[in-house]
Amino acid sequence: MNKRVKDVVEAIVGAVQRVLDEKEVSESEYRNALHYLMKVAETGETALLCDVFFNSTVVATKARTSGGSTPAIEGPYYRDDAPLVDDRLKTYATDDHKPLLINGTVKAVDGTLVENVTIDVWHSTPDGKYSGFHDDIPTDFYRGKLRVGKEGSFRVRTTMPVPYQIPDQGPTGALLETMGGHSWRPAHVHFKVKAPGYETLTTQYYFEGGDWVTDDCCNGVDSSLIAPDLVEEGSRVMNIDFVIEPAREQMGAQA
Ligand code: DHB
Ligand code: FE
């Protein structure tokens, strides 16, 4: 017997029972819902469907208890085997999107410098795909691991990502459409900030004024994650000062 599982599952069951009761859901509607869920499983969209509705809630819980930068959803397209990059992500030779300079620092919550920080950066291709997952695009395009310098700063050049449409041909897209919604996410750049002895920070940043920034199908945008519309020398500039917190095990050991 696992008390945590019992506690959470009983609460979920109770919440669903309340809705079935309140909405006076009929037996045929209930059967339709079961058929829908079986289709979700058959098409391999279980994680997609749950992420659309619930991942941002779990991330918000983490955000409430974190003293560091605002976290965001990871999405399904992180690759731990991305190449180390120096100062530029590899982009298509044909990519004519506006250049993007991502610039910033990494510090601990107490303001001190952190050693041995790496930052994974990844974003969509100009046609809204992710390398290493779609169309056999090699993993070294539009993603890489940056090493943060001794002075705590980093800088990388790439090109502007585009809004991303989550898979919309299956049951998840059909449900969003039936609900009068859509399957678009605003253009974004993913980050994963890692350092020994610190909690890993997984987040995303968005672009002020971008399409879908105020209407993300995954509800993943926090206002603190929207980079102001800043352009310097023809390049969009994203300035980010990451703050990371000591690993929780370590805090426990110190207490
Ligand atoms: C999904 C895709 C993303 O690029 C992302 O950042 C979050 C979610 C998705 O397909 O569910
Ligand atoms: Fe993404």
Side-chain angles (χ1 to χ4, degrees), residues 2-255:
N2 180 319
K3 259 196 101 228
R4 173 68 175 167
V5 171
K6 176 175 156 61
D7 188 29
V8 174
V9 173
E10 280 181 354
I12 291 171
V13 170
V16 173
Q17 286 169 335
R18 253 191 322 280
V19 172
L20 295 175
D21 181 45
E22 259 172 48
K23 301 293 171 191
E24 300 187 326
V25 171
S26 70
E27 264 192 299
S28 70
E29 286 174 327
Y30 171 67
R31 294 280 156 214
N32 282 346
L34 292 186
H35 283 294
Y36 176 78
L37 289 177
M38 286 188 278
K39 203 154 63 181
V40 170
E42 275 163 25
T43 52
E45 287 199 355
T46 306
L48 178 66
L49 181 72
C50 291
D51 279 356
V52 164
F53 292 114
F54 305 126
N55 197 352
S56 64
T57 306
V58 175
V59 169
T61 301
K62 179 166 72 173
R64 266 206 313 278
T65 57
S66 157
S69 294
T70 307
I73 58 177
E74 175 166 322
Y77 303 128
Y78 172 66
R79 289 282 302 232
D80 195 31
D81 58 349
L84 273 177
V85 295
D86 224 4
D87 58 353
R88 190 177 286 275
L89 301 190
K90 192 167 166 183
T91 56
Y92 294 160
T94 52
D95 184 346
D96 58 0
H97 286 204
K98 194 185 200 105
L100 169 63
L101 169 65
I102 307 170
N103 216 339
T105 60
V106 179
K107 286 194 181 130
V109 277
D110 63 1
T112 55
L113 282 173
V114 181
E115 289 184 357
N116 294 315
V117 186
T118 58
I119 306 178
D120 278 278
V121 181
W122 71 105
H123 67 80
S124 69
T125 64
D127 45 351
K129 308 281 172 69
Y130 278 89
S131 72
F133 290 91
H134 301 133
D135 297 355
D136 294 323
I137 305 163
T139 305
D140 57 339
F141 281 97
Y142 299 95
R143 66 171 76 234
K145 289 179 190 289
L146 311 174
R147 284 206 198 290
V148 176
K150 285 211 168 7
E151 65 305 334
S153 61
F154 65 92
R155 155 188 282 262
V156 66
R157 291 181 185 276
T158 179
T159 55
M160 282 293 286
V162 291
Y164 174 82
Q165 190 169 28
I166 67 167
D168 72 329
Q169 296 303 309
T172 304
L175 179 62
L176 292 174
E177 195 170 315
T178 303
M179 292 167 67
H182 62 80
S183 48
W184 287 93
R185 302 213 62 228
H188 56 275
V189 182
H190 293 265
F191 300 94
K192 204 182 253 300
V193 184
K194 292 185 194 174
Y198 287 81
E199 287 292 313
T200 295
L201 169 68
T202 303
T203 192
Q204 311 190 7
Y205 277 75
Y206 306 88
F207 299 90
E208 182 186 4
D211 288 343
W212 311 111
V213 168
T214 56
D215 187 17
D216 174 12
C217 72
C218 291
N219 194 28
V221 184
D222 182 272
S223 58
S224 64
L225 301 174
I226 303 174
D229 187 3
L230 180 64
V231 176
E232 284 171 13
E233 296 169 2
S235 187
R236 181 91 185 225
V237 179
M238 206 179 224
N239 290 314
I240 308 178
D241 294 322
F242 289 115
V243 177
I244 57 177
E245 54 176 0
R248 289 176 190 212
E249 301 81 38
Q250 191 175 315
M251 294 200 314
Q254 283 167 354

